[in-house]
Amino acid sequence: MKHRKQRTYDRLTHPLVRDSRAEPFRSASWDEALERAAAGFRAARGAFGMFSCARATNEMNYVAQKFARVVMGTHNVDSCNRTCHAPSVAGLSAAFGSGGGTSSYREVEETDLIVMWGSNARFAHPIFFQHVLRGVRGGARLFAVDPRRTSTAAWADSWLGLNVGTDIPLAHALGREIIHAGLCDEAFIARATTGFDAYRELVEPWTPTAAEKVTGVPAAAIRDLAHAYARAERAQLCWTLGVTEHHNGTDNVRALINLALLTGHVGRYGAGLQPLRGQNNVQGGGDMGAIPDRLPGFQDVRDPAVRHKFEQAWGAELAPRHGLNLTGMFEAMESRELRAVYCVGENPAQSEADAEQAVRRLRRLDFLVVQDIFLTRTAELADVVLPATAAWCETDGTTTNSERRVQRVRKALRPPGDAREDIDILCALAARLGHEWKYAGAEAVWDELRDLSPDHHGMTYPRLEEHQGLQWPCPDERDTGPGYLHGRLWDPDPARRGPPAPFGLVRHDPPVDLTDEDFPLRLTTGRRLDSYNTGVQSGSFASPLRRGEYVELCPEDAASYGVATGDLVRVVSRRGAVEAPVWIDTGLRPGLAFMTMHFPDEVDTNRLTIEANCPIAGTAEFKASAIRIETAVAAGAASAGRS
Ligand SMILES: Nc1nc2c(c(=O)[nH]1)N[C@H]1C(S)=C(S)[C@@H](COP(=O)(O)OP(=O)(O)OC[C@H]3O[C@@H](n4cnc5c(=O)[nH]c(N)nc54)[C@H](O)[C@@H]3O)O[C@H]1N2
Ligand SMILES: Nc1nc2c(c(=O)[nH]1)N[C@H]1C(S)=C(S)[C@@H](COP(=O)(O)OP(=O)(O)OC[C@H]3O[C@@H](n4cnc5c(=O)[nH]c(N)nc54)[C@H](O)[C@@H]3O)O[C@H]1N2
Ligand SMILES: [Mo]
């Protein structure tokens, strides 16, 4: 058997079209490609969905969601936020009314304790991790909560190696210990929260010993973190996908937020909750309304006053209900309620859970347009491919990071061939579909957004330049942004304090894909420092540091299968199978395997993952599949196959 190599991607330079899916693409003029795209979308009104790009600018995302809502008359617009932090946004919104991370990066430098929960920031957020290390150098204690002893955990004072999918028992045990040790902030709880009594009852069974049995974390380590977190003057609780990419991701997030409510570690400088967002502009994409439930500025589609404001500004009627999210759109492809998709800068054929099913669903579409900078696997399924410029170096605009800071990006390079800016392509298509939008440039788009979004109103381009970025909310032109959110919760005046934050009454619910005799190993998937997501943007560079794809096993499991690093094995789940070489990793524990999503042309990890997803946020359980390893593919075959 031949082991495939990750392919390399060349920049798209010309529009591509084809007359039938059986034929190869041919180059086309912009005029022909746009006319075909417009005709296909015209035919699909009422059955249209849009995927917007979390790497592109705020301005591009604003225009993309406006295209879906105004030109195509639908709120079916979403992005890869669905696959990562939608549970964080849902959980934070439920607690505080706003989905943003509550602190600024700097605050981890001036805090007393940092928890990195389900987050391998050393690999995935290296810039933020520099701030963490400064905090550590300044005396902050660092805790890592992760099933793997990651390179983030290697820097920690204490590593809590929990079993995959047991975050709620661990969080509840921490909460119970804090309550029993008399370490909660009773005044804060009484003033700023609701539901404490029900929470206390809910967590009561989770003694450290009971939690140790389920989570695998020693009771002493649970007590240590509980006491340290509650006693710290200021503490930062940071989390990412280890918490969110579960079928109960939003519940997991609520369980973490409860700990901050118990101790008052929110709404103060140095104390807060930080979901570190994934893509350079996934925060901004959501803020700009490229999500199915919110209009720009995180304003609810269902609020009549909000809708009225946008209807006036856009001259279009807006439906009073939420659209489909990314997960819902894939389900609607199955039922054929969704028949056309405009995919801008996403690669779902390789990034969706249960990839084989995702590709089959994309093929069911009558019409697919992909607008990207590379000819991705998703683009290969399309009817029309439109070549775009790369947002981070070939266009003007702004992006928003995890601390809600809006910053300028500038055009530094000329795009290749005939590639056009995302906004220009969107506007050209809108024009062909009867909507002439005249934007003199990115700043004109931004000014339209500022008029409609109170949170962004005070951020003019000149001010963004002057302050080197501003954080939202920034309602007027004297504001420089608040830095941290929810200081109101500490206000003695009930009117200014606003609505209290409810404790989340969430229960443990183990992963959907159970391990058993046939599938005895727990597979979790994630990232490495040297590669990026589906490998489209990072796949083509060669470096001696890069290993390609492996299935990582601990030494004990490797020994029991009789395999060594480099041996090729078959990895089988209830959905599919792949072949991958083994890598022995001492950071793993028996029963746990790890793979990345970075080399899908070489090893398509997402054939293994499960589509089961969080009913509130729609995020799939990428972090917990059940697998078995078959060794029949012969030891030593990997090196031969890979060369
Ligand atoms: N180098 C690099 N950086 C990236 C990316 C990239 O592809 N490459 N992608 C970007 C994107 S889109 C995102 S969203 C972020 C993601 O950033 P991270 O969330 O930090 O990355 P992951 O490796 O997916 O997952 C983090 C950790 O979750 C742990 N984990 C798995 N299951 C569980 C569990 O049940 N409980 C707990 N507590 N932890 C668990 C894993 O072992 C892993 O170490 O990274 C961004 N940055
Ligand atoms: N097994 C497993 N699967 C996962 C995850 C996991 O942890 N495990 N994580 C999930 C997560 S968190 C995420 S975010 C998704 C990521 O999933 P995707 O967003 O589908 O994957 P990317 O590889 O980031 O694809 C980005 C695409 O955007 C294009 N692009 C970049 N810049 C621009 C631009 O300026 N304009 C245009 N038009 N296109 C541009 C790139 O060429 C690329 O094709 O994967 C999810 N899938
Ligand atoms: Mo992500």
Side-chain angles (χ1 to χ4, degrees):
M1 135 245 16
K2 185 93 180 109
H3 190 72
R4 284 180 300 160
K5 284 287 260 185
Q6 178 70 12
R7 59 184 252 193
T8 57
Y9 291 86
D10 291 322
R11 280 295 293 273
L12 282 165
T13 52
H14 295 91
L16 302 173
V17 299
R18 56 180 162 186
D19 299 314
S20 84
R21 299 241 173 108
E23 285 170 47
F25 286 117
R26 63 176 166 79
S27 287
S29 66
W30 270 105
D31 194 46
E32 182 186 2
L34 289 171
E35 199 44 49
R36 280 179 182 238
F41 291 155
R42 213 177 279 124
R45 257 192 95 86
F48 172 88
M50 171 130 202
F51 307 162
S52 188
C53 184
R55 286 141 295 268
T57 60
N58 285 323
E59 291 75 3
M60 175 273 157
N61 277 280
Y62 176 84
V63 175
Q65 60 81 37
K66 186 172 166 183
F67 182 91
R69 294 188 159 111
V70 174
V71 178
M72 298 306 294
T74 179
H75 296 296
N76 296 344
V77 53
D78 207 1
S79 81
C80 63
N81 78 83
R82 198 57 49 195
T83 62
C84 43
H85 271 297
S88 302
V89 175
L92 287 164
S93 300
F96 306 111
S98 156
T102 74
S103 308
S104 300
Y105 295 167
R106 267 194 78 128
E107 291 175 52
V108 293
E109 296 179 18
E110 293 172 49
T111 191
D112 304 306
L113 183 142
I114 305 162
V115 187
M116 302 301 306
W117 195 313
S119 169
N120 189 9
R122 166 74 185 87
F123 276 13
H125 296 93
I127 295 176
F128 180 76
F129 200 66
Q130 293 306 311
H131 294 279
V132 169
L133 290 181
R134 276 194 211 150
V136 169
R137 234 172 279 139
R141 281 186 81 189
L142 177 65
F143 288 79
V145 182
D146 197 301
R148 303 184 302 137
R149 190 151 38 75
T150 59
S151 17
T152 302
W155 287 90
D157 296 285
S158 173
W159 166 56
L160 285 72
L162 81 176
N163 296 325
V164 168
T166 62
D167 297 86
I168 290 177
L170 179 61
H172 282 3
L174 292 168
R176 182 191 183 279
E177 180 63 23
I178 290 169
I179 294 168
H180 277 255
L183 294 172
C184 9
D185 186 331
E186 281 166 20
F188 181 79
I189 292 171
R191 255 195 202 169
T193 74
T194 57
F196 172 69
D197 291 336
Y199 173 76
R200 185 174 48 199
E201 237 169 82
L202 179 79
V203 300
E204 186 52 32
W206 290 109
T207 61
T209 321
E212 174 173 342
K213 286 200 187 94
V214 175
T215 63
V217 179
I222 298 177
R223 282 196 199 94
D224 178 36
L225 174 53
H227 288 245
Y229 182 73
R231 286 183 198 280
E233 171 68 29
R234 296 160 301 184
Q236 289 279 337
L237 181 43
C238 311
W239 73 85
T240 53
L241 305 187
V243 173
T244 61
E245 279 183 341
H246 289 279
H247 75 285
N248 56 346
T250 306
D251 287 358
N252 284 344
V253 169
R254 296 295 301 270
L256 266 52
I257 294 171
N258 288 339
L259 301 176
L261 298 182
L262 265 186
T263 51
H265 285 321
V266 65
R268 290 182 292 128
Y269 185 82
L273 296 161
Q274 272 286 19
L276 307 168
R277 304 301 300 260
Q279 316 268 351
N280 56 323
N281 197 32
V282 67
Q283 176 74 50
D287 297 344
M288 292 302 110
I291 42 177
D293 52 342
R294 304 286 171 151
L295 288 156
F298 210 66
Q299 301 176 83
D300 198 329
V301 161
R302 289 183 302 199
D303 181 334
V306 164
R307 263 198 330 278
H308 181 72
K309 177 171 72 173
F310 282 91
E311 286 174 338
Q312 293 291 305
W314 290 345
E317 220 176 292
L318 299 172
R321 52 184 178 278
H322 295 168
L324 295 172
N325 64 29
L326 190 66
T327 310
M329 285 193 259
F330 269 86
E331 285 161 5
M333 291 176 204
E334 190 71 59
S335 63
R336 302 261 307 144
E337 280 158 73
L338 201 78
R339 293 191 300 280
V341 161
Y342 187 3
C343 172
V344 183
E346 296 279 321
N347 187 21
Q350 297 188 312
S351 60
E352 283 289 292
D354 196 348
E356 227 166 304
Q357 171 177 269
V359 168
R360 190 176 53 72
R361 286 173 169 177
L362 286 165
R363 285 190 202 281
R364 281 174 74 79
L365 291 169
D366 291 341
F367 193 61
L368 174 63
V369 176
V370 171
Q371 177 169 316
D372 205 293
I373 58 180
F374 295 109
L375 188 68
T376 60
R377 288 280 187 226
T378 309
E380 284 173 355
L381 304 173
D383 301 283
V384 176
V385 179
L386 303 172
T389 56
W392 71 276
C393 57
E394 295 165 357
T395 40
D396 276 312
T398 60
T399 60
T400 310
N401 69 9
S402 298
E403 59 169 8
R404 297 165 276 101
R405 185 178 301 280
V406 178
Q407 299 176 93
R408 287 276 282 115
V409 290
R410 291 172 191 79
K411 181 170 176 157
L413 297 176
R414 208 173 313 137
D418 271 350
R420 286 195 188 170
E421 294 198 13
D422 283 303
I423 293 182
D424 294 344
I425 306 172
L426 285 156
C427 289
L429 262 176
R432 278 170 201 256
L433 291 162
H435 296 263
E436 287 283 349
W437 299 333
K438 292 268 177 265
Y439 294 115
E443 188 171 6
V445 177
W446 185 250
D447 286 339
E448 180 175 312
L449 171 273
R450 285 200 308 112
D451 273 349
L452 291 162
S453 169
D455 278 354
H456 298 88
H457 188 70
M459 302 175 175
T460 62
Y461 268 26
R463 292 195 76 226
L464 289 174
E465 309 239 355
E466 181 194 342
H467 295 277
Q468 299 198 335
L470 291 164
Q471 286 165 287
W472 65 251
C474 179
D476 70 59
E477 291 188 29
R478 289 180 309 272
D479 235 304
T480 49
Y484 62 89
L485 298 181
H486 316 313
R488 65 173 175 85
L489 293 172
W490 293 91
D491 202 307
D493 176 351
R496 283 201 301 263
R497 196 156 66 231
F503 278 89
L505 304 176
V506 296
R507 286 173 198 281
H508 177 43
D509 190 8
V512 174
D513 205 16
L514 295 174
T515 51
D516 61 13
E517 244 171 59
D518 287 338
F519 299 97
L521 290 180
R522 174 60 73 212
L523 171 71
T524 196
T525 63
R527 290 161 173 78
R528 286 206 296 259
L529 179 64
D530 55 34
S531 299
Y532 180 68
N533 286 359
T534 63
V536 175
Q537 289 173 267
S538 57
S540 51
F541 92 94
S543 149
L545 293 174
R546 299 181 93 221
R547 301 200 241 129
E549 187 58 273
Y550 285 82
V551 53
E552 300 181 7
L553 299 172
C554 73
E556 295 88 334
D557 285 339
S560 78
Y561 288 110
V563 291
T565 287
D567 289 351
L568 198 59
V569 296
R570 231 166 99 80
V571 186
V572 187
S573 82
R574 294 187 176 94
R575 286 140 312 271
V578 299
E579 275 155 18
V582 168
W583 183 276
I584 296 178
D585 186 315
T586 52
L588 289 166
R589 293 168 307 138
L592 182 64
F594 179 76
M595 293 175 76
T596 80
M597 55 183 296
H598 297 317
F599 305 93
D601 294 316
E602 188 178 306
V603 177
D604 197 354
T605 302
N606 274 330
R607 281 167 172 256
L608 305 170
T609 51
I610 187 166
E611 187 211 11
N613 56 77
C614 170
I616 302 166
T619 302
E621 193 149 61
F622 289 109
K623 292 287 183 264
S625 310
I627 56 158
R628 69 166 171 265
I629 299 282
E630 294 175 0
T631 51
V633 277
S639 45
R642 285 168 62 76
S643 59

